[in-house]
């Protein structure tokens, strides 16, 4: 089993591609410290499962995993890899995907990366080993590059179409279903500027492109209003810093001689956390400080102060992603254009008010 898993990981990771010749049974036996009989049995099972093919007198070669050569049960299974599954807005996205797939007779195989690049690779290898017919992926830390490029190319090399959600890696040519996050960041900021706020702090998680683009929208809105951005009011942080850095930074900003009068948050989770910091400072929302979140999640209406938030399509995004992938699987273009982009809007509630 260990040898089979290792060979599958070689194929899924792109080390060996369709048509490549594997090391001989003797070489594998020496490399893994196994008997030649065990190696022969492992190779035989991988041949039966469609991963490998034998050519008399020539050796063992990697097969292309498409059509009838896919592992049993894979032809109607779609894989989905997300950073998280059970947290925040992700259950709604997954529900949308699953509902659209089920309607067309497809099954869903889920995997989570916990926002780690190494687990993204493990998920990709698992999906290929399970013989999924197509793949929906939310890229992990999309602003930090794509060290798993070879694994993605291996999926495509084996004829598995890939569609990305929320964002995409720039080095992969595949369709993407997402919201226009730059426009969303601009709308959030413009909402506060239109209320008379001029000292607006922005908190953005910038190890993913969603946060980078929301920050770009924040800056763009200021520029369109002819208002310079105070660099000390732009707080950037990464996933590991989300529990401490934003709160610490806000405390420091509120103690300045000219504190911000409003805050744009990367998402509703952060907005709710920063509400506690505002309370600690003895300030009121929105009388002393306006706050706007992003995603319009269940958290936006879960606190006593109902959050103004930029609406994320969530379930609708999942449905659209599944529909486009099914179209790709059933004879449509492998690209289906470049996917789909949702236009954002602001849901105005209690947490924002005019600057007095």
């Amino acid at each position: 089993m260990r040898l089979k898993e290792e060979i599958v990981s070689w194929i899924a990771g792109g080390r060996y591609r369709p048509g490549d010749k594997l090391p001989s049974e003797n070489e594998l036996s020496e490399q893994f410290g196994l008997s030649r009989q065990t190696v022969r049995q492992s190779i035989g099972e991988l041949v039966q499962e469609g991963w490998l093919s034998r050519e008399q007198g020539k050796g063992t070669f990697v097969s292309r995993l498409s059509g009838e050569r896919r592992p049993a049960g894979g032809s109607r299974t779609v894989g989905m890899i997300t950073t998280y599954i059970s947290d925040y807005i992700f259950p709604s996205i997954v529900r949308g995907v699953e509902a659209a797939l089920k309607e067309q007779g497809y099954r869903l195989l889920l995997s989570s990366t916990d926002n780690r690049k190494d687990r993204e690779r493990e998920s990709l290898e698992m999906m290929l080993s399970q013989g999924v017919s197509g793949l929906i992926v939310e890229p992990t830390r999309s602003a930090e590059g794509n060290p798993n490029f070879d694994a993605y190319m291996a999926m495509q090399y084996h004829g598995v179409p890939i569609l990305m959600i929320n964002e995409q890696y720039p080095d992969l040519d595949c369709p993407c279903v997402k919201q226009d996050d730059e426009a969303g960041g601009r709308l959030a900021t413009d909402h506060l500027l239109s209320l008379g706020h001029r000292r607006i702090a922005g908190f953005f998680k910038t190890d993913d492109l969603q946060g980078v683009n929301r920050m770009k929208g924040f800056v763009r809105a200021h520029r369109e209003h002819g208002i310079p951005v105070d660099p000390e009011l732009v707080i950037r942080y990464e996933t590991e810093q989300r529990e401490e850095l934003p709160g610490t930074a806000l405390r420091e900003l509120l103690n300045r001689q000219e504190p911000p009068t409003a805050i744009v948050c990367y998402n509703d989770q952060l907005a709710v956390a920063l509400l506690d910091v505002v309370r600690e400072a003895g300030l009121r929302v929105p009388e002393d400080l306006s706050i706007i979140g992003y995603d319009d999640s269940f958290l936006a209406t879960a606190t006593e102060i109902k959050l103004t938030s930029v609406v994320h399509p969530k379930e609708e995004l999942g449905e659209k992603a599944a529909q486009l992938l099914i179209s790709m699987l059933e004879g449509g273009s492998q690209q289906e254009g470049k996917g789909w982009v949702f236009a954002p809007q602001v849901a105005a509630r209690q947490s924002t008010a005019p600057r007095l």
Side-chain angles (χ1 to χ4, degrees):
M1 287 301 299
R2 287 197 302 272
L3 178 57
K4 284 180 63 178
E5 289 171 0
E6 183 68 19
I7 292 174
V8 167
S9 75
W10 290 348
I11 298 171
R15 179 175 172 183
Y16 288 91
R17 297 177 294 179
D20 287 350
K21 183 178 179 180
L22 282 187
S24 68
E25 290 181 0
N26 282 336
E27 289 170 329
L28 290 172
S29 178
E30 289 182 16
Q31 181 177 346
F32 290 93
L34 299 171
S35 69
R36 190 168 176 186
Q37 175 59 33
T38 300
V39 172
R40 186 175 295 116
Q41 180 180 336
S42 302
I43 297 296
E45 290 180 8
L46 289 172
V47 169
Q48 289 182 343
E49 293 170 10
W51 289 100
L52 305 174
S53 62
R54 283 195 176 110
E55 294 187 26
Q56 188 68 33
K58 293 184 178 179
T60 304
F61 298 83
V62 176
S63 299
R64 183 179 294 277
L65 298 175
S66 59
E68 71 280 359
R69 304 195 70 168
R70 286 198 182 283
S75 61
R76 302 293 289 183
T77 299
V78 166
M80 183 176 184
I81 301 173
T82 59
T83 50
Y84 305 101
I85 292 175
S86 59
D87 296 339
Y88 196 47
I89 64 172
F90 294 100
S92 297
I93 296 173
V94 172
R95 278 197 302 272
V97 169
E98 190 167 32
L101 291 176
K102 188 175 181 180
E103 187 176 327
Q104 299 299 320
Y106 286 84
R107 295 181 295 272
L108 178 63
L109 178 62
L110 276 173
S111 184
S112 167
T113 68
D114 290 325
N115 215 28
R116 287 174 45 180
K117 295 283 193 183
D118 59 334
R119 290 189 179 174
E120 182 182 70
R121 175 174 286 274
E122 290 170 6
S123 294
L124 288 165
E125 293 177 356
M126 182 273 289
M127 290 295 179
L128 186 57
S129 71
Q130 292 296 314
V132 297
S133 55
L135 190 61
I136 297 171
V137 182
E138 183 201 28
T140 296
R141 296 176 181 264
S142 53
E144 295 185 348
N146 181 18
N148 299 321
F149 176 80
D150 57 340
Y152 280 106
M153 292 304 292
M155 296 290 291
Q156 294 181 330
Y157 207 86
H158 285 290
V160 181
I162 299 170
L163 181 145
M164 294 200 159
I165 59 171
N166 289 334
E167 258 306 335
Q168 66 187 114
Y169 290 124
D171 57 1
L172 291 180
D173 185 22
C174 61
C176 180
V177 176
K178 64 179 182 177
Q179 177 158 275
D180 187 337
D181 282 301
E182 182 175 347
R186 184 186 64 80
L187 274 179
T189 311
D190 189 68
H191 177 75
L192 295 171
L193 290 167
S194 68
L195 292 172
H197 295 276
R198 293 298 178 263
R199 292 190 56 74
I200 304 172
F203 289 75
F204 304 101
K205 187 165 80 72
T206 54
D207 51 5
D208 64 54
L209 289 171
Q210 295 98 300
V212 171
N213 288 325
R214 291 169 195 179
M215 182 176 64
K216 288 169 66 178
F218 174 84
V219 174
R220 177 180 161 194
H222 280 83
R223 185 172 62 246
E224 289 174 349
H225 283 261
I227 298 169
V229 177
D230 182 345
E232 293 188 6
L233 293 181
V234 181
I235 309 301
R236 297 152 53 99
Y237 65 97
E238 297 182 356
T239 300
E240 291 81 7
Q241 301 170 312
R242 62 184 174 180
E243 300 297 331
E244 298 292 337
L245 191 151
T248 299
L250 180 57
R251 290 184 185 95
E252 293 175 356
L253 290 177
L254 293 178
N255 284 325
R256 290 180 60 175
Q257 188 173 356
E258 292 186 81
T261 65
I263 303 172
V264 173
C265 296
Y266 165 76
N267 63 13
D268 293 341
Q269 285 178 318
L270 178 64
V272 170
L274 294 185
L275 278 173
D276 291 335
V277 177
V278 175
R279 292 189 193 100
E280 289 172 14
L283 300 175
R284 299 165 301 163
V285 173
E287 291 85 352
D288 301 313
L289 190 73
S290 287
I291 297 181
I292 185 167
Y294 203 108
D295 293 327
D296 197 26
S297 68
F298 67 94
L299 293 174
T301 55
T303 63
E304 70 277 14
I305 303 293
K306 309 308 179 189
L307 283 174
T308 296
S309 186
V310 177
V311 178
H312 186 288
K314 297 184 272 303
E315 202 158 330
E316 188 181 356
L317 181 145
E319 291 174 358
K320 176 59 71 173
Q323 290 164 0
L324 286 179
L325 186 64
I326 291 170
S327 178
M328 293 161 67
L329 288 168
E330 297 185 353
S333 164
Q334 285 290 301
Q335 291 301 306
E336 285 298 315
K338 281 297 177 183
W340 189 270
V341 179
F342 289 90
Q345 59 183 348
V346 172
R349 299 191 182 93
Q350 300 169 325
S351 68
T352 53
R355 175 62 176 160
L356 300 178

